Amino acid sequence: MWWLLVSLPPLAGALAYGRAPFFAWAGAGVVWLGAFAWAAAWPVALGAVVMLAWLALCAVFLAPSLRRSLVTAPIFKAFRSALPSMSQTEKDALEAGSVWWEGDLFGGSPDWKKLQAYPWPKLSAEEQVFLDHDTSELCRLTDDWESTRQQDMPKEVWDFIKQRGFLGMIIPKEYGGKGFSAFAHSQVVTKLSTRSSAPAVSVMVPNSLGPAELLLHYGTPEQKQHYLPRLARGEDIPAFALTSPWAGSDAASIPDAGVICKGQWQGREVLGMRVSFDKRYITLAPVCTVFGLAFRLFDPEHLLGETEDLGITCALVPHDHPGVDIGRRHFPLNAIWMNGPVRGSDVFMPLEFIIGGPKMAGQGWRMLMECLAAGRSISLPGSNTGMQKLTARAVGAYARVRYQFKTAIGRFEGVEEALTRIGANTYLSDAARIMTAGSIDLGEKPSVVSAIVKYHITERARQTVNDGMDVIGGKGICLGPQNFLGRAYQQIPVGITVEGANILTRSLILFGQGAIRCHPYVLDEMHAAQQNDMERFDEAFWGHIGYTVSSAARAMVMGLPGSHFVSVSADVAPETRRYYQQLTRFSAAFSFLADISMGTMGGALKRKEKLSARLGDILSLMYLASATLRRYEAEGRQAVDAPLMHWAIWDCMFKAQNAFEGVIANFPNKLFAMLLRRLVVFPLGRPYVVPSDRLGHEVARCLIEPSATRDRLTADVYLPTDLEEPVAALEAALQATVECELIEAKLKLAQKQGRFKPGLMVGGDVDEIWRRALQEGIISDAEFAQIERRNMLRDKVIRVDDFPFDLGLKDVVADTAHIKAAA
């Protein structure tokens, strides 16, 4: 049977790539079999029978009608019976958006030249001015702790947001908006998030999935002309009401419903809808003037047509429309930004409220799915990267300024571990954020990639902020104006929860949607089966077989020599070449593993969420590694930044390797599992280990000393100048600490040589030693002045807030002015 096994790859390859190769392989098979028969001394008759059998088999596959009737037909029948039924909402969700770079990674043969050809996003001159001036000024006006007293941003901040066009960044200039790129939108959200979540969320929501974007894509000319200029000027504040108490992550099952009917509107009878709805978690709802509303629309009296269940519909509703109950609020982990419920019972609305007019009734879910990718690629990736940048900048400085055991805490290896993760995760997250925002500006709607960056950047932000809290210790757990990280720590779970809960995103969406959208054949097979198109299915199925065999062969051929001979098409940095080779091999192995998983488990794979999640991890980590490599090239292969890149890539590859192992170890078919491990995925064992301690030390060092690397890593972090603000004090204290280290070394040397004996320090004055050193001539007056300034800044950095014990929260915040004056 060896001859049959050897012939299958060329046979599948012929079917996948056309008839001409098929004829070549068929002829080669005859020659090979003849040679084998001669070498094995077969009787002529036996050899002739074998070759005739081979040619007959080839003929079956060569003749489309024979192949379809004898081979494809029973497979087609089985495939159709096994394919689960799919609702229109499921189809809309699966088919929404576009496939981008993740398609190359899923396909098993990534074209690195194509990756390097993607333009790295840049701001226009107008966008840069807006970021440097308007956004910085909004940051300056924002006082997160002071806003806590009001439980809202001050009126002057709201007015600034409206007047400077922050609410209309995505609205074209023809309607009075900014017409900014997706990258500019992302940059603004990222910078605001380094200051406070209140302006960041208040700005990002109107520019994300909501009324403005839906109107731009689907609104009638009248709706656009009325609403878009008002939204751009801030005269209208929008919200979008989707989530209900009974439909969170499963948003398509919303029970909110409307019925087509006639009713009174502006003094006359019109055709409209009577809608009942109960929504919660709606950002900006308490202050909005107009909100988008998603509900299922029914037409039992057939006033619009023959269909009764029209489907999910999106309408635009004024906040003061009769019957709307709005204005109460939630407190999402005590965040300042507005969020609350929206309710209504039997609220009559004219059909003109439907976004796009009556013809778009029932098209709401498709509209939402098609627009989801842009907002999900920008909002949470931007805000959570901003939190990471602030953490890297401020905690790195704190670790150099704060001393324990006569040593900067950033020098301790335990703290180094946390700083390393902070630095590398920030570098990687920013790379993925920028590259994904750039894809939106290229015209893509990357549904799978947007889920990848939403999930992984928010998870890495959780790790980063947790690590930051570990480093700053007691400073981080006492809330007050001097705590630069506590509020971010409180609100990290919000990003984990919204726009698709992370647990469900990982276990159901990343691979579940990715396998169908990114695979070159699966969606075609599904469409062919649903449309009962045997000819189309035949072409897709045999292409799929050839693709699977090719992926297995490529993974084996690349894996056996450790991928050292894998060619990399792009001109890449020599220090990164091995990463491209290993990613190419991982891509081929993943492609085959995904096919085998779908082929052996079929629809059951959807229920094996742990396996599906690990497969999604592999695809995601390859994407994150790709973005990191692209960033390194785009920024000019900065050698001093290389430790950040290396650690991030090693971390991705190690985790991807573990995900491979997790799939194989839990594969239902143990024979397949053994073959996958030994022949395809790990023929030479597992190549990656955790990133080295030496590399981690280099990454941590990037955070605790002023440098161009630190500035690039934390670019666009808002840096105040008032030394009473904790981040400003940290910046000044870091510089002063570095400048005083030579003076400290001078004092230690004098003590070691016996030239200076400070004696017993009494009174709790930790700085008395410096006054004695000055008196004894160990340091100069100028050096003492430097030390005094350093000590003053150090004390500002390490102080925490305290309040009268019997004050309530509002009184505590109001007492801040007294505390600042005392300080």
Side-chain angles (χ1 to χ4, degrees):
M1 295 297 290
W2 280 106
W3 67 272
L4 182 59
L5 293 174
V6 173
S7 67
L8 280 176
L11 179 64
L15 290 166
Y17 299 110
R19 291 187 179 184
F22 182 87
F23 280 116
W25 283 109
V30 171
V31 173
W32 183 85
L33 285 169
F36 183 84
W38 176 80
W42 282 0
V44 175
L46 177 60
V49 169
V50 170
M51 281 190 283
L52 285 173
W54 164 256
L55 290 173
L57 179 64
C58 291
V60 169
F61 283 92
L62 179 62
S65 59
L66 279 176
R67 182 178 69 242
R68 288 173 194 147
S69 61
L70 297 178
V71 183
T72 307
I75 296 173
F76 184 54
K77 182 179 180 181
F79 187 90
R80 289 195 71 201
S81 63
L83 188 66
S85 61
M86 190 177 298
S87 67
Q88 188 58 48
T89 54
E90 289 176 311
K91 290 179 182 177
D92 289 339
L94 283 174
E95 297 175 13
S98 59
V99 177
W100 190 53
W101 176 246
E102 75 280 19
D104 274 56
L105 296 170
F106 202 106
S109 184
D111 181 355
W112 299 111
K113 190 176 292 185
K114 179 165 67 172
L115 176 69
Q116 298 303 336
Y118 290 137
W120 197 245
K122 292 183 179 179
L123 297 177
S124 68
E126 180 188 1
E127 291 168 342
Q128 190 67 60
V129 168
F130 188 85
L131 185 69
D132 292 342
H133 296 284
D134 298 73
T135 309
S136 294
E137 179 63 9
L138 178 53
C139 288
R140 187 192 68 79
L141 291 172
T142 301
D143 184 331
D144 192 78
W145 183 251
E146 181 63 25
S147 295
T148 304
R149 180 178 65 85
Q150 300 181 32
Q151 288 297 300
D152 190 9
M153 295 182 294
K155 183 178 182 299
E156 67 167 328
V157 175
W158 273 112
D159 289 345
F160 187 87
I161 287 172
K162 297 173 186 178
Q163 293 163 8
R164 296 300 178 94
F166 280 93
L167 302 184
M169 289 190 292
I170 67 168
I171 297 175
K173 291 185 177 182
E174 64 188 277
Y175 296 107
K178 294 292 183 182
F180 280 173
S181 64
F183 177 54
H185 176 191
S186 178
Q187 288 289 86
V188 170
V189 170
T190 300
K191 184 164 190 170
L192 290 174
S193 298
T194 69
R195 180 64 165 169
S196 167
S197 68
V201 173
S202 301
V203 165
M204 79 187 190
V205 167
N207 291 286
S208 185
L209 177 61
E213 177 145 6
L214 293 172
L215 284 169
L216 283 170
H217 288 92
Y218 309 104
T220 65
E222 295 78 15
Q223 288 172 337
K224 291 179 180 180
Q225 289 296 336
H226 176 74
Y227 279 113
L228 291 177
R230 295 175 58 83
L231 290 168
R233 294 191 299 266
E235 292 177 24
D236 272 329
I237 297 178
F240 190 79
L242 175 61
T243 304
S244 86
W246 305 275
S249 295
D250 183 15
S253 66
I254 52 174
D256 313 279
V259 176
I260 299 291
C261 63
K262 292 181 179 180
Q264 292 295 314
W265 173 245
Q266 295 180 341
R268 58 192 178 92
E269 186 180 70
V270 299
L271 194 59
M273 312 164 286
R274 196 163 297 282
V275 187
S276 294
F277 51 94
D278 185 357
K279 304 290 190 179
R280 64 180 183 181
Y281 310 149
I282 312 305
T283 301
L284 296 185
V287 295
C288 76
T289 60
V290 61
F291 63 92
L293 177 66
F295 57 94
R296 184 170 290 278
L297 186 59
F298 298 90
D299 186 12
E301 298 181 19
H302 304 286
L303 298 175
L304 289 183
E306 295 303 314
T307 306
E308 289 194 11
D309 184 355
L310 297 174
I312 292 175
T313 300
C314 293
L316 207 53
V317 186
H319 75 113
D320 55 357
H321 185 72
V324 170
D325 180 10
I326 199 168
R328 296 180 66 80
R329 71 182 294 185
H330 306 305
F331 285 102
L333 295 173
N334 207 35
I336 302 305
W337 40 270
M338 288 293 175
N339 185 279
V342 178
R343 302 183 180 97
S345 179
D346 288 331
V347 178
F348 182 77
M349 305 173 188
L351 291 182
E352 65 190 58
F353 277 19
I354 297 174
I355 297 175
K359 70 178 186 299
M360 296 303 290
Q363 300 300 308
W365 189 249
R366 178 175 62 83
M367 293 159 60
L368 294 173
M369 291 300 99
E370 288 177 351
C371 292
L372 175 63
R376 194 165 59 180
S377 296
I378 295 169
S379 298
L380 290 170
S383 60
N384 280 259
T385 299
M387 281 191 280
Q388 291 187 78
K389 287 190 172 194
L390 170 66
T391 304
R393 186 95 187 182
V395 172
Y398 187 89
R400 185 71 173 267
V401 172
R402 177 64 161 161
Y403 274 55
Q404 290 290 276
F405 307 102
K406 301 181 180 179
T407 305
I409 62 172
R411 307 288 190 192
F412 291 98
E413 287 196 354
V415 174
E416 266 193 358
E417 275 194 309
L419 292 174
T420 298
R421 288 191 296 268
I422 291 171
N425 280 334
T426 301
Y427 184 87
L428 177 146
S429 295
D430 205 24
R433 173 190 71 88
I434 294 171
M435 190 168 97
T436 305
S439 76
I440 305 297
D441 290 325
L442 293 174
E444 300 289 344
K445 295 181 178 179
S447 53
V448 176
V449 161
S450 67
I452 288 173
V453 293
K454 185 274 172 181
Y455 171 79
H456 282 276
I457 292 180
T458 56
E459 286 295 338
R460 286 174 186 264
R462 170 155 57 180
Q463 176 73 69
T464 295
V465 173
N466 280 344
D467 281 332
M469 291 290 284
D470 283 352
V471 172
I472 65 176
K475 171 81 173 179
I477 62 172
C478 294
L479 286 177
Q482 296 307 311
N483 189 331
F484 57 86
L485 198 57
R487 299 289 282 144
Y489 176 77
Q490 280 183 305
Q491 295 168 43
I492 273 289
V494 175
I496 303 299
T497 303
V498 301
E499 291 190 7
N502 276 11
I503 288 177
L504 295 183
T505 297
R506 176 174 177 259
S507 58
L508 295 179
I509 295 176
L510 296 183
F511 182 75
Q513 187 175 18
I516 295 173
R517 289 311 316 278
C518 300
H519 196 287
Y521 295 102
V522 166
L523 193 57
D524 278 346
E525 291 169 333
M526 291 174 62
H527 283 159
Q530 289 161 354
Q531 297 163 13
N532 199 22
D533 187 339
M534 168 97 105
E535 185 174 341
R536 183 180 177 186
F537 180 82
D538 176 77
E539 182 180 349
F541 177 77
W542 292 107
H544 190 162
I545 295 297
Y547 162 81
T548 302
V549 173
S550 175
S551 295
R554 292 184 74 252
M556 289 173 63
V557 169
M558 287 188 287
L560 287 171
S563 73
H564 284 281
F565 300 108
V566 174
S567 63
V568 178
S569 58
D571 177 24
V572 299
E575 62 269 28
T576 63
R577 189 172 186 80
R578 281 294 293 146
Y579 298 141
Y580 288 95
Q581 290 178 319
Q582 289 281 31
L583 275 170
T584 302
R585 185 179 80 80
F586 273 29
S587 174
F590 168 75
S591 177
F592 181 64
L593 181 60
D595 259 335
I596 291 297
S597 299
M598 289 187 287
T600 58
M601 286 179 269
L605 182 58
K606 182 178 180 179
R607 296 185 293 276
K608 292 187 177 297
E609 295 175 17
K610 295 174 185 176
L611 289 182
S612 180
R614 294 177 188 120
L615 288 164
D617 289 343
I618 300 168
L619 178 62
S620 300
L621 290 161
M622 291 192 296
Y623 180 81
L624 297 177
S626 299
T628 303
L629 291 169
R630 182 68 186 91
R631 174 181 182 171
Y632 186 69
E633 292 290 336
E635 294 183 346
R637 304 177 182 179
Q638 300 285 341
V640 288
D641 296 359
L644 294 162
M645 177 273 295
H646 285 302
W647 201 98
I649 296 292
W650 270 86
D651 182 61
C652 282
M653 299 300 278
F654 178 70
K655 287 177 178 174
Q657 180 179 267
N658 287 347
F660 270 118
E661 183 62 41
V663 173
I664 295 170
N666 293 280
F667 210 77
N669 188 310
K670 298 307 177 186
L671 175 61
F672 269 126
M674 182 190 71
L675 293 174
L676 284 167
R677 179 183 284 109
R678 299 291 176 83
L679 297 180
V680 180
V681 182
F682 300 126
L684 298 181
R686 299 170 65 175
Y688 281 93
V689 295
V690 294
S692 70
D693 290 345
R694 178 195 57 78
L695 182 58
H697 171 74
E698 293 178 22
V699 172
R701 196 171 65 182
C702 294
L703 269 63
I704 66 173
E705 57 189 38
S707 67
T709 294
R710 180 173 179 262
D711 291 340
R712 276 189 293 272
L713 179 67
T714 60
D716 296 319
V717 169
Y718 175 70
L719 298 176
T721 55
D722 181 359
L723 292 181
E724 290 305 311
E725 295 213 30
V727 174
L730 276 163
E731 286 293 296
L734 173 62
Q735 191 64 45
T737 298
V738 172
E739 291 170 355
C740 286
E741 284 179 351
L742 287 177
I743 304 174
E744 285 191 326
K746 185 176 180 180
L747 180 65
K748 289 178 181 177
L749 180 62
Q751 288 178 292
K752 184 176 181 180
Q753 294 175 344
R755 294 185 292 110
F756 176 63
K757 296 180 179 179
L760 182 65
M761 299 292 171
V762 295
D765 187 349
V766 297
D767 298 327
E768 174 64 22
I769 188 172
W770 294 106
R771 285 187 282 274
R772 294 189 185 181
L774 175 65
Q775 291 169 2
E776 297 189 21
I778 302 299
I779 59 173
S780 67
D781 288 339
E783 289 170 329
F784 180 72
Q786 278 186 274
I787 290 291
E788 273 200 316
R789 183 172 186 276
R790 190 277 309 269
N791 292 348
M792 179 270 294
L793 291 169
R794 174 206 63 200
D795 291 346
K796 284 183 179 295
V797 163
I798 65 175
R799 70 183 176 184
V800 297
D801 301 287
D802 56 78
F803 309 92
F805 78 94
D806 56 347
L807 294 188
L809 178 61
K810 288 188 176 181
D811 296 324
V812 163
V813 181
D815 193 58
T816 298
H818 164 73
I819 294 170
K820 286 185 177 179

